[in-house]
Amino acid sequence: MILTPEPDTHYLNMDLLRFTTAGSVDDGKSTLIGRLLYDSKSIFEDQMEAIEKTSRSSGEEEVNLALLTDGLKAEREQKITIDVAYRYFATPKRKFIIADTPGHIQYTRNMVTGASTAKLAIVLIDASKGVLTQSRRHAFISSLLQIPHLVVAVNKMDLVDYDETVFNRIVADFREFARKLDIQDITYIPISALKGDNVVSKRRTDKNGEEKDFMPWYNGSTLLHHLETVRVDASDNAVDFRFPVQYVIRPNQNFRGFAGRIASGRVSVGDEITVLPSRTTSKIKEIVTYDGNVEQAFPGDSVTLTIQDEVDISRGDMIVRRNNVPEVTSQFEAYLCWMNEEAMQTGRQYLLMHSTKTTLVYIDEVIYRMNVDTLERETSDELLLNEIGRVRLTTAQKVFIDAYRSNQKTGSFIIIDPASNVTVGAGMIRSKTTGKVSDTNNDTNAITEDNRKISPNVVWEPWNIDREEREKRNGHKAMVLWFTGISGSGKSTIAKALERKLWELGKHTILLDGDQVRHGLNGDLGFSKQDRSENIRRVGEVARLFFEHGNIVICTFVSPYAEDRAKVKLLFPEGRFHEILVTCKPETAQQRDPKGLYDKAKKGEIKGLTGYDEQHEMSNEHTIVIDTDKTTVDESLLTILDKINSED
Amino acid sequence: MKNAHLKVLEDEAIYIMREVAAQFERPALLFSGGKDSIVMVHLALKAFYPAKIPFPLLHVDTGHNFPETIEFRDNLVKRLGVELIVGSVQESIEKGRVKEETGPDASRNALQTVTLLDTLKEHQIDAALGGGRRDEEKARAKERFFSHRDVFGQWDPKNQRPELWDLYNGRKNMGESFRVFPISNWTEMDIWQYIAQEKIEIPEIYFSHERRVFNRRGVWLADTEFVNRLPEEEIVTKVVRFRTIGDATCTGAVLSSASNMDEIIQEVAAARQTERGNRHDDKRSETAMEDRKRQGYF
């Protein structure tokens, strides 16, 4: 029969949100999901009957909502969740797919799996326990997997008498930790999954049968309302067109179509394209679908492309726009999560599956292992089950990669053990290998090194001549010497003398001075905290450009905030950035007052002068400290040159 | 304008089907005649257009089908010009591969597993595309898109591969195989909405009709020659329809007057029972589905 009626429009225009939940056995994660399903009326009578029966037979008093989600027999017997389970529910606004993952440390791989397809993550925190190691681990993995939205659900508020101060303290603790992460959007919601507060609605019936809001101090959304309204499409890369060819469709001599799903960007009929790896160029002739040809196709669309010229294209090739091409390389660096009981070994042959291409791969080196609980970097030659590390890989065939941060589809890969055929690792590409970066210090800002501003429409242009090549010809290493300290401490004096000295020794140098950059490049910035941070950020990027061109870059900036300096440091390989604190007694600086700033500050003409009415933040990052009350310029130079030479 | 969430699910299913065609030597699409497998065929049409579906349909025939199902199947195969492989439970019984159950609850549902495995082996099928959905039953909530089966065709929940992003690892050793579930992320509602949106033809028995039925433990079973009716089970004529179509001995009908897609969608939206709530086979024990899956059930 042919069906004529159009579907009920009530169900039209629903979109879809995939989210992941992580929490330990005791955080009430299963209860929360049970609550979402139950309160959104997504549980059917027979399912409810089944769990009532099970609750009774295991001697529990209340119906255990967690039983709705704990699927397999073994798990229910042990009352834990050991694998990623997918749940579905829908409200009139949205369809939801939950990737429900266990939270215990040995299930890091499950969290990574669940997070890989999620656009939002819910991290559960037990209000009576506060921010625990595992809460931080969940947040870290969400950050590593670049989930754009994070919800911190502070659960069991009923156990702390719905106390606002408990909630605020947890929020403050988490915020402090989250500064080190790379997550754009974090929302904090106090809930009780058991009782239902703020899950679906703010109010619930109390024991006297009255409707009541138990947390009137909380003015934000309920969890479900947030899930229904958060923007889901904003994180798609709509710019860089990448089309991994999946399958060639050739029904007859006259049709040759390349089937695939648009990984990112968009494509239109007539677009000039390049096919990788052959680099053959052509134009898009048609975009074919069963429902008729279309003029344009978008990220996520499964389509079939035909092209104007006869070009040999097969599975594993990639069609891209002619002027926007990914890295074509056989060497790159990535974060790798190991997922198998058998440890990862360097120098062993594995298979790498990236987009639609599978090739042999060696994991050459573990640059460092990340302690997922402390975020510290540790030295290691191998990765064990559930460990995450930064590695360098070499593939047999070239792969077409983008950084995971800018493109999840072409920035991700899995590692397969060719002996067992099992998936043993999951990787997120960081970059093409640019020289050996060996750093095993306990730098807790590990992730923010990727946290750089990248204009959305810009593709990184590889260096024309590698830094290594330049260094070889220059006969010295490139490095950055960053002088920090209050006005009048003597930074500029020492820096100028140092540059002259290096110049005489035949080194390639650049001197970046605070006042100079503020006259041009940063002329639009003032002295607010925000502007000062931006000033330092820009200088850091400029220093990086000169650094990559093989120079010794000397920077003299008050740079009062430790965090700003730490961010700049992360732009450079370990051992190439030296922070030199130049210090003296405030009286000495005020007496020197080379620019007359202290004088103006005393007269009240300027405010916020570092060293007068604003603190200069110290940190543990200073490689060298020079006290100009006690040291002459020449002595300072010797100290600095000694330090540089000892690094060489 | 297409429904946004159905578009996402459709694109995903097409992607999976193409991965199967690319990664395996001899895939087949398991076709039961039910709405899920009809949707699967529709998705396969889209995935390989303008070419024909590049793999055969495989039907495990319990011999206890509703006649409408077989008629529908034969018409579909003819229209699409695809190969049809039929595995017969009757033959498996005759060959002594399985033993027919006896008693009032006798069903060939469990026997299908042996016939299915035998047929897959006979035709050297290395990937069987199934219409299983994760929302159907809790044992399915952890099922992968690419579900690995050992040389005995069995499923080991502890030995499943992690699936990340949209990278599906279909590598296997000789003799091993995969079950692939492209519509894992669909719910019953999605299926019905999609059938309505795409105007997909489905067998008449999904729409309300008068039928001779009897009630067994709350489930309305059709009066057919295949069911051993107990003396106290009285036949009545009711207006019913089916929410799932399986073996006639264990697929219950629901009392319903929904006679078109609109009404069915309204009914599904208001339903307080899962569709498998009418499946007798799932009610045998709490882990009935999980136990059958381990042995190689669909």
Side-chain angles (χ1 to χ4, degrees):
Chain A
M1 65 173 289
I2 299 297
L3 301 158
T4 42
E6 286 296 321
D8 185 344
T9 50
H10 170 73
Y11 295 100
L12 285 179
N13 298 321
M14 272 209 304
D15 61 3
L16 192 150
L17 173 67
R18 294 173 203 251
F19 68 96
T20 179
T21 50
S24 79
V25 197
D26 310 319
D27 289 338
K29 175 173 62 72
S30 296
T31 311
L32 173 65
I33 295 170
R35 173 64 64 185
L36 277 171
L37 299 179
Y38 186 74
D39 284 5
S40 66
K41 304 197 170 36
S42 308
I43 292 175
F44 296 105
E45 278 168 7
D46 50 323
Q47 286 175 315
M48 204 60 202
E49 274 168 31
I51 67 156
E52 276 169 5
K53 199 169 128 197
T54 315
S55 299
R56 273 198 306 275
S57 70
S58 56
E60 290 170 72
E61 277 181 14
E62 281 181 68
V63 174
N64 185 353
L65 287 175
L67 287 172
L68 282 169
T69 61
D70 296 342
L72 301 174
K73 208 197 278 183
E75 294 178 8
R76 280 205 310 282
E77 281 160 6
Q78 296 163 32
K79 295 210 166 84
I80 52 159
T81 321
I82 54 175
D83 201 350
V84 184
Y86 295 88
R87 320 280 168 198
Y88 303 84
F89 72 101
T91 67
K93 292 186 182 133
R94 230 167 222 182
K95 173 187 164 96
F96 298 94
I97 302 179
I98 313 175
D100 177 17
T101 69
H104 199 260
I105 182 149
Q106 66 239 52
Y107 304 124
T108 297
R109 65 169 162 181
N110 295 336
M111 273 189 272
V112 170
T113 303
S116 74
T117 51
K119 289 280 167 85
L120 179 145
I122 300 178
V123 171
L124 270 165
I125 294 179
D126 183 334
S128 62
K129 292 183 184 149
V131 181
L132 300 179
T133 302
Q134 62 200 14
S135 326
R136 289 194 282 267
R137 189 188 317 131
H138 303 153
F140 164 68
I141 288 170
S142 304
S143 164
L144 187 70
L145 274 284
Q146 290 285 305
I147 298 180
H149 307 283
L150 189 73
V151 174
V152 176
V154 181
N155 191 23
K156 304 195 184 179
M157 287 301 292
D158 52 314
L159 294 186
V160 296
D161 297 326
Y162 299 104
D163 186 349
E164 185 181 4
T165 53
V166 172
F167 175 70
N168 288 341
R169 195 170 61 236
I170 290 172
V171 169
D173 285 354
F174 195 90
R175 225 172 236 156
E176 172 62 27
F177 168 75
R179 288 197 311 144
K180 296 172 194 161
L181 302 176
D182 185 15
I183 298 173
Q184 296 150 22
D185 170 42
I186 306 182
T187 305
Y188 301 87
I189 306 177
I191 63 166
S192 165
L194 188 69
K195 307 282 183 189
D197 307 277
N198 286 336
V199 178
V200 170
S201 50
K202 278 181 77 65
R203 305 167 74 84
R204 66 170 169 91
T205 342
D206 66 8
K207 58 183 179 227
N208 303 321
E210 282 168 35
E211 280 273 302
K212 193 176 160 191
D213 180 355
F214 285 79
M215 289 176 274
W217 46 265
Y218 173 71
N219 298 317
S221 299
T222 62
L223 180 60
L224 184 65
H225 184 259
H226 182 71
L227 294 174
E228 281 182 324
T229 49
V230 70
R231 271 198 71 184
V232 289
D233 53 349
S235 61
D236 287 346
N237 179 333
V239 176
D240 310 312
F241 174 63
R242 305 283 186 262
F243 187 82
V245 176
Q246 243 190 313
Y247 188 78
V248 181
I249 292 177
R250 197 164 197 188
N252 55 56
Q253 290 301 314
N254 305 321
F255 187 91
R256 193 173 161 80
F258 307 104
R261 197 172 183 194
I262 299 177
S264 61
R266 58 183 67 181
V267 65
S268 305
V269 172
D271 277 357
E272 299 199 334
I273 50 121
T274 293
V275 182
L276 298 174
S278 69
R279 297 205 183 254
T280 320
T281 57
S282 183
K283 278 185 180 176
I284 299 286
K285 187 173 151 200
E286 301 158 299
I287 303 171
V288 179
T289 82
Y290 176 84
D291 302 299
N293 290 1
V294 292
E295 280 300 305
Q296 208 178 22
F298 302 89
D301 289 355
S302 281
V303 292
T304 299
L305 304 179
T306 63
I307 60 177
Q308 278 181 358
D309 307 281
E310 201 153 303
V311 180
D312 186 28
I313 301 175
S314 51
R315 177 176 167 87
D317 291 357
M318 193 184 280
I319 300 175
V320 299
R321 203 164 288 148
R322 203 177 288 183
N323 53 6
N324 182 337
V325 180
E327 289 275 4
V328 179
T329 181
S330 57
Q331 280 207 321
F332 56 92
E333 287 180 14
Y335 292 110
L336 182 67
C337 173
W338 199 249
M339 306 191 137
N340 201 256
E341 283 80 9
E342 205 176 304
M344 184 224 88
Q345 296 167 33
T346 51
R348 209 196 121 174
Q349 228 174 45
Y350 293 103
L351 287 164
L352 174 129
M353 190 172 178
H354 171 266
S355 66
T356 56
K357 197 180 186 83
T358 303
T359 175
L360 286 171
V361 66
Y362 285 112
I363 300 158
D364 302 316
E365 182 194 10
V366 179
I367 298 167
Y368 56 81
R369 181 176 61 199
M370 184 78 80
N371 182 321
V372 294
D373 293 332
T374 62
L375 300 193
E376 286 175 357
R377 298 172 181 186
E378 300 165 348
T379 317
S380 178
D381 294 329
E382 57 174 17
L383 292 177
L384 304 178
L385 175 65
N386 292 312
E387 290 188 340
I388 294 171
R390 179 140 146 226
V391 298
R392 196 158 51 79
L393 305 103
T394 303
T395 53
Q397 291 172 44
K398 289 199 166 166
V399 284
F400 322 125
I401 59 165
D402 293 292
Y404 183 77
R405 198 172 191 283
S406 62
N407 198 327
Q408 293 200 0
K409 302 283 181 195
T410 51
S412 55
F413 62 86
I414 56 172
I415 300 282
I416 299 166
D417 181 339
S420 64
N421 292 316
V422 169
T423 304
V424 291
M428 288 134 281
I429 295 168
R430 206 184 156 268
S431 66
K432 185 178 133 181
T433 298
T434 49
K436 190 172 150 144
V437 181
S438 195
D439 35 7
T440 48
N441 66 324
N442 293 341
D443 185 352
T444 54
N445 286 309
I447 312 184
T448 45
E449 68 187 274
D450 283 344
N451 191 8
R452 294 173 57 208
K453 290 186 184 173
I454 298 166
S455 306
N457 301 342
V458 176
V459 177
W460 178 252
E461 183 64 33
W463 302 108
N464 186 29
I465 298 164
D466 277 349
R467 172 162 49 82
E468 283 81 350
E469 270 184 74
R470 293 177 188 276
E471 288 179 339
K472 214 167 167 189
R473 197 167 79 178
N474 291 349
H476 65 85
K477 277 189 180 173
M479 67 180 74
V480 177
L481 302 169
W482 186 280
F483 289 82
T484 177
I486 60 175
S487 180
S489 61
K491 297 183 300 296
S492 296
T493 311
I494 297 171
K496 283 176 187 163
L498 177 67
E499 192 191 24
R500 173 61 62 186
K501 184 78 191 162
L502 291 170
W503 171 259
E504 285 165 6
L505 292 168
K507 317 275 187 192
H508 293 69
T509 63
I510 298 282
L511 182 62
L512 295 174
D513 175 78
D515 290 312
Q516 282 168 1
V517 298
R518 278 190 176 273
H519 272 95
L521 177 65
N522 293 352
D524 57 331
L525 300 175
F527 288 86
S528 67
K529 183 170 194 308
Q530 207 178 353
D531 278 4
R532 284 183 157 176
S533 295
E534 175 61 10
N535 181 42
I536 297 307
R537 187 191 72 79
R538 291 186 195 172
V539 170
E541 291 290 348
V542 170
R544 177 157 183 265
L545 292 170
F546 284 122
F547 168 80
E548 289 294 348
H549 283 81
N551 296 288
I552 297 176
V553 190
I554 302 168
C555 307
T556 59
F557 294 85
V558 177
S559 46
Y561 305 118
E563 189 187 341
D564 295 343
R565 298 194 301 267
K567 277 186 187 157
V568 172
K569 182 181 178 180
L570 287 169
L571 297 173
F572 302 93
E574 184 63 19
R576 300 299 188 92
F577 179 90
H578 299 282
E579 194 176 298
I580 302 166
L581 173 68
V582 184
T583 178
C584 65
K585 293 199 195 87
E587 300 79 27
T588 318
Q590 286 171 27
Q591 193 195 334
R592 287 174 187 160
D593 201 10
K595 296 167 196 162
L597 293 172
Y598 290 102
D599 195 35
K600 283 184 185 166
K602 278 176 199 160
K603 289 179 186 154
E605 289 171 23
I606 54 170
K607 286 225 176 321
L609 177 65
T610 311
Y612 188 73
D613 52 358
E614 183 88 66
Q615 272 284 314
H616 181 274
E617 288 178 14
M618 309 278 264
S619 69
N620 300 322
E621 303 286 357
H622 311 307
T623 324
I624 305 167
V625 179
I626 293 168
D627 185 343
T628 53
D629 279 320
K630 297 173 188 159
T631 331
T632 66
V633 173
D634 282 342
E635 286 168 346
S636 311
L637 291 192
L638 284 177
T639 315
I640 295 166
L641 290 171
D642 270 350
K643 181 72 185 171
I644 296 171
N645 291 332
S646 72
E647 293 281 338
D648 235 318
Chain B
M1 177 64 197
K2 282 194 176 183
N3 195 324
H5 81 281
L6 293 181
K7 170 89 172 72
V8 174
L9 294 173
E10 180 190 74
D11 284 325
E12 176 179 80
I14 290 174
Y15 177 82
I16 306 272
M17 291 210 175
R18 288 168 170 175
E19 278 302 289
V20 169
Q23 290 195 37
F24 295 92
E25 279 173 31
R26 194 162 161 79
L29 193 155
L30 300 178
F31 184 80
S32 70
K35 64 183 188 313
D36 297 330
S37 60
I38 293 169
V39 165
M40 289 275 289
V41 171
H42 186 76
L43 290 164
L45 266 181
K46 289 196 169 194
F48 304 103
Y49 175 85
K52 282 183 185 170
I53 298 173
F55 36 72
L57 306 190
L58 190 159
H59 182 220
V60 174
D61 183 356
T62 59
H64 290 174
N65 289 293
F66 293 104
E68 293 91 336
T69 310
I70 300 297
E71 193 191 322
F72 184 90
R73 177 195 79 186
D74 292 342
N75 285 337
L76 185 72
V77 166
K78 210 162 135 192
R79 183 158 57 84
L80 302 181
V82 290
E83 184 193 349
L84 174 73
I85 298 171
V86 178
S88 159
V89 175
Q90 186 63 41
E91 265 179 42
S92 300
I93 294 169
E94 284 163 15
K95 282 188 201 157
R97 299 278 297 148
V98 290
K99 198 156 177 282
E100 184 122 55
E101 292 182 1
T102 54
D105 282 336
S107 164
R108 287 181 168 182
N109 198 53
L111 311 185
Q112 289 182 90
T113 303
V114 174
T115 308
L116 171 66
L117 293 177
D118 286 353
T119 312
L120 292 176
K121 204 168 171 187
E122 185 192 334
H123 293 269
Q124 297 177 325
I125 304 294
D126 56 358
L129 286 152
R133 308 190 322 262
R134 288 174 180 150
D135 78 321
E136 283 178 86
E137 217 276 345
K138 58 191 166 194
R140 286 199 165 159
K142 297 178 182 191
E143 185 57 282
R144 307 296 197 264
F145 278 91
F146 274 45
S147 179
H148 178 262
R149 303 297 156 112
D150 63 18
V151 282
F152 303 102
Q154 298 190 337
W155 179 71
D156 179 0
K158 291 206 172 108
N159 198 24
Q160 294 296 314
R161 300 167 180 184
E163 271 180 353
L164 297 109
W165 299 289
D166 44 17
L167 297 169
Y168 299 100
N169 173 6
R171 298 185 69 89
K172 59 183 173 14
N173 291 318
M174 278 290 276
E176 296 175 349
S177 63
F178 275 81
R179 299 289 171 81
V180 181
F181 304 103
I183 57 171
S184 288
N185 279 333
W186 298 46
T187 60
E188 188 191 10
M189 179 56 107
D190 298 328
I191 294 284
W192 284 116
Q193 286 179 262
Y194 189 70
I195 289 170
Q197 171 185 288
E198 300 286 308
K199 301 185 169 56
I200 299 170
E201 194 183 335
I202 53 171
E204 293 283 356
I205 61 174
Y206 278 113
F207 300 95
S208 71
H209 56 282
E210 279 195 354
R211 187 176 282 271
R212 284 159 57 82
V213 291
F214 65 91
N215 198 302
R216 178 176 288 173
R217 294 194 291 272
V219 178
W220 291 102
L221 289 176
D223 174 38
T224 66
E225 53 182 307
F226 319 122
V227 188
N228 304 318
R229 195 160 45 82
L230 297 171
E232 66 271 24
E233 290 171 333
E234 196 188 329
I235 298 222
V236 285
T237 301
K238 294 271 182 192
V239 175
V240 297
R241 63 177 204 87
F242 290 89
R243 276 176 86 182
T244 67
I245 296 180
D247 189 281
T249 59
C250 62
T251 307
V254 289
L255 301 178
S256 165
S257 60
S259 60
N260 60 46
M261 286 310 302
D262 251 4
E263 288 170 12
I264 288 177
I265 288 173
Q266 300 291 351
E267 193 180 284
V268 171
R272 300 304 298 148
Q273 287 266 320
T274 62
E275 54 190 323
R276 293 194 80 91
N278 288 311
R279 291 291 285 258
H280 243 195
D281 43 335
D282 290 344
K283 291 206 164 174
R284 289 185 170 189
S285 83
E286 205 200 327
T287 55
M289 176 65 122
E290 183 181 341
D291 296 339
R292 270 180 293 147
K293 269 180 71 76
R294 279 176 190 271
Q295 288 154 18
Y297 188 70
F298 298 97

